[in-house]
Amino acid sequence: MIDISERAQQHFLRLIAQQGVDGLGIRLRVTSPGTPAADCELEFCESAELSGNEWTVECQGFNFYIEGDSARWLENATIDYEPSQTGGQLNIRAPKIKGDLPGMEAGLVERVRYVLDAEVNPRIAAHGGRVSLLEVDADGVVVLQFGGGCHGCGMVDVTLKHGVEKTLRERVPEITAVRDATDHKGGANPYYSKNEGKSAMG
């Protein structure tokens, strides 16, 4: 069901040891499963806090619990820990938690919106950006509006061509083109300023 690497198990064991509580485990639950907003939440868990419907994965020195309702969304999921000089990064990959891309029977608009919410917006949210769908015309042209940190951003053409358009056309092959309808001259807080060509954040 879920593969927890040895590095991730060691990381969890270190965190548990810092808490100083006997028999402490880690519990994983999926929030908003089957939607583009789905995410994984980890928390410390004592055996008295278990509800009884959890799946238990026995790890080295501790138990890892998966909330019962979340289990079906975690098929082929992996947890790994990548150490680095700044402290490391825990990576949870759960390919099924957002559900599936709506099928061909779903409308073009619905499928484009799903890809934007599930894949595109989570990526550009790191820059404070967001993309909204304005329309899909009869010729398969998608018209988007960029907001937040993407509004007025000098890198928006690159984001549109190499990120957003590439992802959309891979997922929804009927799309013929992707256009940006945003007026970028009025961007109040762009992540990249066109004049300087560097991050406006620092």
Side-chain angles (χ1 to χ4, degrees):
M1 176 203 301
I2 190 166
D3 179 40
I4 306 169
S5 75
E6 202 163 310
R7 291 190 304 189
Q9 292 187 37
Q10 293 297 326
H11 174 65
F12 288 138
L13 203 52
R14 280 195 301 275
L15 293 176
I16 289 169
Q18 289 166 10
Q19 306 307 307
V21 177
D22 286 340
L24 199 61
I26 302 273
R27 178 164 50 191
L28 171 66
R29 107 165 136 250
V30 178
T31 57
S32 306
T35 74
D39 206 355
C40 288
E41 255 180 27
L42 289 168
E43 61 188 2
F44 292 114
C45 177
E46 294 184 61
S47 50
E49 297 172 316
L50 296 172
S51 61
N53 74 337
E54 290 88 356
W55 294 72
T56 303
V57 180
E58 291 185 8
C59 296
Q60 300 169 8
F62 70 97
N63 281 338
F64 188 93
Y65 304 104
I66 296 165
E67 188 191 59
D69 293 340
S70 300
R72 73 188 186 95
W73 301 100
L74 294 167
E75 187 186 335
N76 300 327
T78 61
I79 301 179
D80 190 24
Y81 181 74
E82 292 174 25
S84 73
Q85 287 152 341
T86 53
Q89 171 82 36
L90 189 68
N91 292 319
I92 303 177
R93 304 211 187 293
K96 306 277 191 195
I97 67 167
K98 293 181 189 228
D100 296 315
L101 176 68
M104 297 299 259
E105 72 284 350
L108 203 53
V109 170
E110 189 184 334
R111 285 157 57 217
V112 169
R113 193 168 279 138
Y114 178 91
V115 175
L116 289 176
D117 287 345
E119 294 190 51
V120 174
N121 279 319
R123 284 207 292 257
I124 61 175
H127 296 179
R130 176 158 182 81
V131 178
S132 309
L133 177 64
L134 292 184
E135 66 168 332
V136 181
D137 74 12
D139 298 323
V141 176
V142 173
V143 182
L144 302 175
Q145 172 115 32
F146 285 81
C150 291
H151 186 199
C153 174
M155 295 296 286
V156 79
D157 295 343
V158 177
T159 302
L160 177 68
K161 282 282 171 235
H162 298 291
V164 181
E165 181 167 0
K166 183 167 177 286
T167 302
L168 281 172
R169 293 183 79 158
E170 277 172 9
R171 300 286 180 269
V172 189
E174 301 96 302
I175 292 172
T176 56
V178 179
R179 300 221 174 99
D180 176 13
T182 316
D183 172 13
H184 287 289
K185 292 197 263 313
N189 186 23
Y191 188 72
Y192 288 99
S193 162
K194 221 166 194 148
N195 308 341
E196 300 156 40
K198 63 179 194 235
S199 168
M201 312 271 284

